[in-house]
Amino acid sequence: MKDDQFSPLPLDPQDQTKPEITRSPEKKLINELLFSDDTEFDWLYPKQFQLLSLKHFTLLPIAQKAAEFLSLPNTRVLDIGSGAGKFCLTAGYHFPKTFFYGVEQRYELHHLAENIKRYTDLPNVNFIYGNVTQINFKEFDHFYFYNSFFENIDQINKIDDTIELSESLYNYYTQYLYMALSAKPSGTRLVTFHSLEQEIPPDYRLADVSYDTLLKMWIKE
């Protein structure tokens, strides 16, 4: 599959339109600008994804808050349904001693995440192209879940038509995640955002809530 089949990011100086980024000589300053607010970050996306960002991608303050809870040094955090990588990239920028991984089954979103990773040059961030059922949960310590399964039962707000969506898939994925989280050891941390909580086993204790209780932090007992 060719890397250039989708809309490219404005990675070259001649393609950039923001002068403060174009004249920045250091990656550190570029990242400070990109992670300063959602408008700056979303500028990296092609226009159609900028329009999707508010509904489907984690806002920067929420990503930072969630990552703060998950970010124990030298642990591996998995974003389940990572989209264009906004949570992992934000978390990786703010918490460089933790390793963040995102799994995404839409190739175009995975492609965008990989491009932004190269642009931001964050060594503790990695993206996996695949379905959540292909993931070995034993390889990860903690988890972030922005209800990526809900699209299956709310198809009016679906991202695109590139993957199969159905209520039966919602139930299947939810049960799969429930079983995977059940098998994790005591102390495993989980952050959910806009979750219906059907994927959360009963031995996960609610540790904190934020953003009008939409963002919830859990620890397995």
Side-chain angles (χ1 to χ4, degrees):
M1 193 171 288
K2 291 177 63 179
D3 281 346
D4 61 355
Q5 65 174 320
F6 299 119
S7 304
L9 291 170
L11 302 186
D12 298 322
Q14 63 268 27
D15 294 328
Q16 296 172 346
T17 58
K18 292 204 170 189
E20 66 270 28
I21 293 180
T22 301
R23 65 172 176 262
S24 172
E26 297 182 0
K27 187 66 66 178
K28 180 179 178 181
L29 179 56
I30 292 175
N31 284 350
E32 286 177 356
L33 289 165
L34 292 177
F35 293 104
S36 63
D37 62 47
D38 287 280
T39 301
E40 292 288 344
F41 189 94
D42 289 352
W43 168 80
L44 286 172
Y45 296 137
K47 187 173 182 179
Q48 68 268 30
F49 292 110
Q50 293 179 23
L51 298 175
L52 288 171
S53 181
L54 182 62
K55 181 180 293 290
H56 291 283
F57 305 153
T58 306
L59 296 175
L60 296 184
I62 294 173
Q64 186 174 354
K65 179 74 174 178
E68 183 179 6
F69 179 76
L70 295 169
S71 297
L72 303 180
N74 298 314
T75 57
R76 295 156 65 99
V77 175
L78 178 68
D79 180 3
I80 301 163
S82 53
K86 196 170 182 180
F87 167 77
C88 288
L89 293 159
T90 304
Y93 170 71
H94 288 290
F95 301 95
K97 294 183 180 179
T98 301
F99 298 93
F100 295 91
Y101 296 78
V103 57
E104 174 55 49
Q105 64 177 331
R106 282 181 167 94
Y107 182 77
E108 184 168 11
L109 293 180
H110 170 76
H111 170 86
L112 285 172
E114 287 283 12
N115 271 350
I116 298 174
K117 175 197 167 183
R118 286 192 290 269
Y119 188 44
T120 55
D121 195 25
L122 295 170
N124 60 326
V125 175
N126 290 280
F127 295 105
I128 304 162
Y129 173 49
N131 186 281
V132 65
T133 60
Q134 299 170 301
I135 294 297
N136 182 358
F137 275 66
K138 294 180 180 179
E139 296 180 353
F140 302 96
D141 303 295
H142 310 296
F143 303 91
Y144 176 69
F145 181 62
Y146 180 3
N147 208 351
S148 51
F149 307 155
F150 189 70
E151 188 181 9
N152 284 280
I153 55 176
D154 181 29
Q155 296 187 29
I156 293 175
N157 293 304
K158 64 184 178 181
I159 293 175
D160 58 32
D161 297 312
T162 62
I163 62 171
E164 181 183 354
L165 297 170
S166 69
E167 184 175 354
S168 62
L169 276 175
Y170 173 83
N171 294 330
Y172 172 68
Y173 290 146
T174 298
Q175 182 64 20
Y176 185 91
L177 181 54
Y178 181 100
M179 296 303 295
L181 291 174
S182 294
K184 296 302 295 180
S186 175
T188 297
R189 295 190 172 204
L190 167 69
V191 174
T192 60
F193 187 46
H194 282 278
S195 170
L196 301 180
E197 301 182 19
Q198 295 171 319
E199 74 285 348
I200 303 173
D203 52 356
Y204 279 74
R205 171 180 57 85
L206 185 62
D208 197 5
V209 298
S210 188
Y211 290 93
D212 294 326
T213 73
L214 294 174
L215 186 70
K216 295 187 177 182
M217 296 153 226
W218 312 80
I219 300 177
K220 185 173 183 183
E221 296 180 328

